[in-house]
Amino acid sequence: MTQEAIKILLVDDEVQFVDTLAERLSMRGFTADIAYNGTSALEKVANTQPDVIVLDLRMPGMDGFAVLKAVKQRNPQVQVIILTGHGGDQEAVIAGRYGAYSFLRKPTDIDALLDSIRMAYRDKVENAFVAASFAQAGDIDSAREVMAEKDLLQG
Amino acid sequence: MTEKHCIQSLLASSTHDMRNVLAVIRESTGLVQDMLRFGADVPNKERLLQALEEVQKQISKGALLTNSVDCLTKSTAEHGAGRCDGVRVAQAFCSMIARHAKAAHICCIATTAEQAVWFEHDALTVLQSLMSVFEQCTRAQAALCLEIRAARHEGTIGFYLTAEGEAAALEALASASGIQSAPPPWPAKLLPWREQGKQRFWLALKAYSA
């Protein structure tokens, strides 16, 4: 898997933070799109179908939990990593229930974030591969279950 | 509005903001390292300076936040029991609540003043009264800008509040003529009036005193 192959969407209302993070990811060979609020994030998910979303929780208007729920309802295969300055263990548990892949607190090390992004992407690819195998064998129900497996396990 | 709830809200907002400050510092300094490590032999000087300026800016923001949190602990000790500078408390409140306010589309601005306005209350009591007004604003769920100025008015001390924003928020605030907490009730009352087309309030801090 090449780094460029992972489509990342960064969602955060802290413009300076998210712009600089995108710049640093770019220097490591990743391309990251940016959304500065929840509504814009959902539009970008519909239009560009990212592999991994790095999502802030507390934002003006639509907050991160609302975005997470909407993404998991519409595109369960998209992996969501929460990266936030808000909240503690309780928020982490809720995020897990809603289907978040992992929960990171700001300020996080870029290598820790990249590890999480790579693992989330690998999980997504593996899920898609297994689902495709079921689908090829004509077992559509199992294929659907695999695609939503993470949500079922975490919900 | 209990003391505990007030402290929790202010600390939660401040902690969130401080994490954002640290996150921007980490990314900006990380970018400088990256540019020197991965970039060209001659790094983009302008971008380097911009990143370092951002670090300076965030450090100032962090220092302001720290001083504001310090206001909670120091005011009583520095100025005697039950006494605080309303100007400083208003500034501390606006700084500490900024992150929660942003998420609620509310902007709180403390008017700066050269002279202190001494309140015969401890800082926490004063912060509670401002927090009650802020929560009244959030219940309206509408965008609002709230300017806060510590002052004396007809022998009482309190805050002049000038609110600008959506009608729903202004109406919600205007309908809140009494702001109090339980138990025990502490002295505060919000008096609305309109002046020069703006919604203004006087938050009196002794209205209920016996």
Side-chain angles (χ1 to χ4, degrees):
Chain A
M1 141 203 354
T2 62
Q3 290 171 348
E4 292 82 352
I6 308 177
K7 282 160 74 177
I8 303 168
L9 174 63
L10 305 175
V11 187
D12 202 308
D13 64 315
E14 290 293 327
V15 176
Q16 189 62 41
F17 166 74
V18 78
D19 284 355
T20 312
L21 180 58
E23 204 172 339
R24 295 188 73 200
L25 289 173
S26 160
M27 293 178 99
R28 285 163 174 77
F30 292 89
T31 305
D33 199 359
I34 296 171
Y36 299 115
N37 59 60
T39 312
S40 164
L42 290 184
E43 281 170 17
K44 292 201 177 222
V45 171
N47 294 334
T48 63
Q49 298 182 338
D51 300 305
V52 180
I53 300 175
V54 178
L55 176 66
D56 187 21
L57 280 186
R58 192 142 194 160
M59 296 180 287
M62 192 177 201
D63 74 3
F65 282 132
V67 175
L68 173 61
K69 276 203 276 189
V71 167
K72 284 295 171 180
Q73 276 171 2
R74 296 172 203 175
N75 307 78
Q77 75 282 3
V78 175
Q79 302 283 28
V80 180
I81 295 166
I82 303 293
L83 176 58
T84 183
H86 169 72
D89 296 343
Q90 203 179 345
E91 281 76 12
V93 170
I94 295 169
R97 283 201 191 122
Y98 288 158
Y101 181 82
S102 59
F103 189 98
L104 302 174
R105 283 190 188 87
K106 290 180 186 171
T108 194
D109 182 68
I110 195 161
D111 291 326
L113 176 63
L114 282 174
D115 284 347
S116 200
I117 289 172
R118 287 193 190 100
M119 284 192 292
Y121 179 71
R122 192 186 60 201
D123 257 33
K124 186 200 170 202
V125 170
E126 282 175 3
N127 285 345
F129 180 76
V130 174
S133 304
F134 277 122
Q136 213 166 20
D139 189 352
I140 300 301
D141 287 344
S142 296
R144 282 194 181 130
E145 268 181 40
V146 170
M147 291 307 286
E149 183 184 16
K150 270 270 179 261
D151 306 323
L152 289 172
L153 285 173
Q154 287 166 336
Chain B
M1 168 58 58
T2 63
E3 211 171 78
K4 186 180 168 188
H5 177 73
C6 177
I7 293 173
Q8 277 178 338
S9 299
L10 289 173
L11 289 184
S13 178
S14 305
T15 305
H16 186 187
D17 235 359
M18 189 57 88
R19 283 183 181 145
N20 278 326
V21 164
L22 293 173
V24 175
I25 291 174
R26 173 162 258 174
E27 293 312 321
S28 297
T29 52
L31 179 69
V32 172
Q33 282 180 314
D34 288 352
M35 288 175 78
L36 296 173
R37 189 183 297 153
F38 304 130
D41 288 341
V42 183
N44 182 338
K45 192 178 167 187
E46 200 175 315
R47 186 66 186 99
L48 276 177
L49 283 172
Q50 199 186 10
L52 292 172
E53 272 167 25
E54 191 57 39
V55 171
Q56 295 289 341
K57 199 171 117 188
Q58 293 297 324
I59 288 171
S60 300
K61 190 179 169 185
L64 179 65
L65 260 175
T66 311
N67 289 341
S68 299
V69 174
D70 207 27
C71 172
L72 271 176
T73 58
K74 290 275 176 66
S75 62
T76 301
E78 277 178 5
H79 309 299
R83 198 151 188 260
C84 70
D85 173 12
V87 176
R88 194 174 165 211
V89 173
Q91 286 166 347
F93 175 79
C94 291
S95 167
M96 283 191 281
I97 206 64
R99 185 62 222 188
H100 279 185
K102 186 183 177 190
H105 298 287
I106 295 171
C107 159
C108 293
I109 302 165
T111 307
T112 51
E114 285 179 11
Q115 284 193 323
V117 179
W118 292 104
F119 288 5
E120 298 304 320
H121 301 268
D122 61 69
L124 186 54
T125 302
V126 178
L127 286 168
Q128 273 179 278
S129 67
L130 290 173
M131 180 60 86
S132 298
V133 173
F134 175 77
E135 294 209 327
Q136 199 70 37
C137 296
T138 60
R139 278 195 281 275
Q141 295 187 323
L144 190 78
C145 186
L146 198 62
E147 193 185 299
I148 303 169
R149 181 161 64 90
R152 285 187 177 274
H153 175 75
E154 294 178 357
T156 61
I157 47 98
F159 293 100
Y160 281 115
L161 306 173
T162 304
E164 285 185 82
E166 295 179 19
L170 296 180
E171 280 168 23
L173 254 187
S175 67
S177 58
I179 299 276
Q180 59 184 308
S181 70
W186 45 270
K189 188 165 189 174
L190 191 64
L191 306 166
W193 85 93
R194 285 190 76 82
E195 189 182 273
Q196 294 173 344
K198 286 185 178 177
Q199 183 67 57
R200 296 181 195 273
F201 302 89
W202 170 245
L203 179 66
L205 296 182
K206 273 201 169 178
Y208 297 134
S209 52

